[in-house]
């Protein structure tokens, strides 16, 4: 019993000494690394506004895409006449509202400004492979405008799942819109596959396009990819994942790697 009492007394004395040094210990701990494992916590990288040069640097290259895509300089003039037509409002339950949404989709794809004309810096590039074209755009937008655009895009697989559009020559084209999965990149994303079937120059044609939009802060990436041979979904995913990485690098003041990492 005497040994136990001595041991308890020793412990109490030790605790008292520890309490006496508490103030200095608290002061030291306030400047110690707060992250797990004793690692010093790093501050979040500062974000710089997108510039014209930055938008150009954020564009993907042939190295970001698999297969045999060839980068071209004519993408700014691309237009596909299969996307031109007046939506038949009579087939919609809510008439003008749904028809206007579907018309906006067709017009945005044809004019290559699905999110509206960007008020800030922007850049685009294009690639071809056989009969397919991949258009890639980076641009800065107003936050409220991007919010509204993404809200609208999310409604399209339901509001515009299938409709007809009348071409200038009076022929009818059938348009289908379905949701498409995308890599979990950026702050928000929306993928669609749009199919337009009908005559073109007297010949039946089916145009299939992947449409992918990714938001990174107040900037956005837009990808359209496809043609009469269909859409290569793997290439769309490459453009989204590698392009998002490049845009994040530019926004954080880093130079994007010349080739994508296998770990992206």
């Amino acid at each position: 019993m005497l040994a136990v009492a001595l041991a308890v007394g020793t412990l109490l004395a030790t605790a008292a000494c520890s309490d006496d040094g508490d103030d200095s210990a608290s002061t030291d701990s306030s400047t110690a690394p707060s992250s797990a494992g004793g690692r010093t916590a790093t501050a979040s990288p500062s974000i710089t506004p997108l510039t014209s040069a930055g938008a150009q640097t954020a564009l993907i290259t042939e190295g970001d895409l698999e297969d045999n895509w060839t980068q071209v300089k004519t993408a700014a003039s691309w237009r596909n006449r299969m996307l031109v037509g007046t939506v038949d409002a009579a087939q919609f339950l809510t008439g003008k509202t749904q028809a206007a949404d579907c018309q906006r989709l067709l017009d945005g794809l044809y004019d290559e400004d699905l999110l509206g004309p960007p008020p800030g810096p922007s850049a685009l590039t294009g690639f071809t492979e056989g009969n397919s074209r991949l258009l890639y755009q980076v641009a800065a937008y107003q936050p409220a405008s991007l919010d509204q655009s993404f809200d609208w895009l999310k409604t399209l697989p339901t509001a515009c799942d299938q409709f007809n559009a009348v071409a200038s020559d009076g022929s009818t084209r059938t348009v289908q819109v379905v949701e498409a999965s995308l890599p979990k990149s950026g702050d928000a994303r929306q993928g669609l596959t749009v199919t337009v079937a009908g005559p073109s120059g007297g010949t039946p044609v089916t145009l299939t396009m992947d449409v992918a939009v990714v938001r990174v802060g107040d900037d956005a990436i837009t990808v359209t990819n496809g043609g009469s041979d269909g859409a290569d979904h793997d290439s769309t995913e490459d453009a989204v994942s590698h392009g998002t990485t490049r845009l994040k690098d530019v926004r954080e003041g880093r130079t994007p790697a010349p080739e994508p990492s296998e770990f992206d």
Side-chain angles (χ1 to χ4, degrees):
M1 293 295 291
L2 179 59
V4 172
L6 289 172
V8 171
T10 301
L11 289 172
L12 291 173
T14 302
C17 292
S18 175
D19 288 343
D20 290 342
D22 227 19
D23 290 341
S24 61
S26 297
T27 302
D28 291 343
S29 65
S30 67
T31 58
S34 59
S35 56
R39 296 187 300 272
T40 302
T42 57
S44 298
S46 59
I47 303 301
T48 59
L50 190 68
T51 63
S52 296
Q56 195 69 37
T57 302
L59 293 174
I60 59 172
T61 67
E62 291 177 3
D64 294 300
L65 301 172
E66 296 181 3
D67 300 325
N68 298 311
W69 291 95
T70 300
Q71 193 165 10
V72 298
K73 298 180 179 179
T74 57
S77 63
W78 282 352
R79 296 291 186 274
N80 194 313
R81 299 292 301 175
M82 286 291 291
L83 297 167
V84 177
T86 302
V87 173
D88 180 6
Q91 61 191 297
F92 294 107
L93 293 176
T94 57
K96 292 183 178 179
T97 300
Q98 281 180 277
D101 286 334
C102 303
Q103 189 70 60
R104 177 181 171 186
L105 171 63
L106 287 183
D107 294 345
L109 290 174
Y110 178 76
D111 293 332
E112 298 167 356
D113 61 356
L114 192 61
L115 299 178
S122 64
L124 64 82
T125 188
F127 306 82
T128 60
E129 183 183 40
N131 292 323
S132 296
R133 290 176 171 179
L134 190 153
L135 183 74
Y136 187 91
Q137 302 178 74
V138 176
Y141 296 88
Q142 295 296 329
S145 173
L146 271 185
D147 290 341
Q148 293 171 358
S149 293
F150 271 85
D151 289 343
W152 166 69
L153 286 168
K154 290 175 182 177
T155 69
L156 296 181
T158 299
C160 303
D161 57 339
Q162 182 166 318
F163 61 94
N164 293 332
V166 181
S168 58
D169 62 1
S171 62
T172 299
R173 292 165 183 163
T174 301
V175 184
Q176 291 182 316
V177 181
V178 298
E179 189 163 14
S181 62
L182 294 177
K184 292 184 178 180
S185 302
D187 302 319
R189 68 210 63 84
Q190 182 61 51
L192 306 170
T193 299
V194 179
T195 304
V196 184
S200 177
T203 303
V205 175
T206 298
L207 169 68
T208 303
M209 300 176 65
D210 274 351
V211 180
V213 182
V214 180
R215 180 174 186 168
V216 182
D218 296 337
D219 306 323
I221 293 166
T222 304
V223 182
T224 56
N225 168 30
S228 58
D229 293 336
D232 180 355
H233 303 300
D234 290 342
S235 294
T236 302
E237 293 184 355
D238 284 342
V240 165
S241 59
H242 298 156
T244 301
T245 299
R246 293 182 67 88
L247 179 55
K248 285 182 176 179
D249 284 344
V250 169
R251 285 167 52 86
E252 294 171 8
R254 297 190 298 269
T255 300
E259 294 290 340
S261 167
E262 62 179 311
F263 301 109
D264 284 351

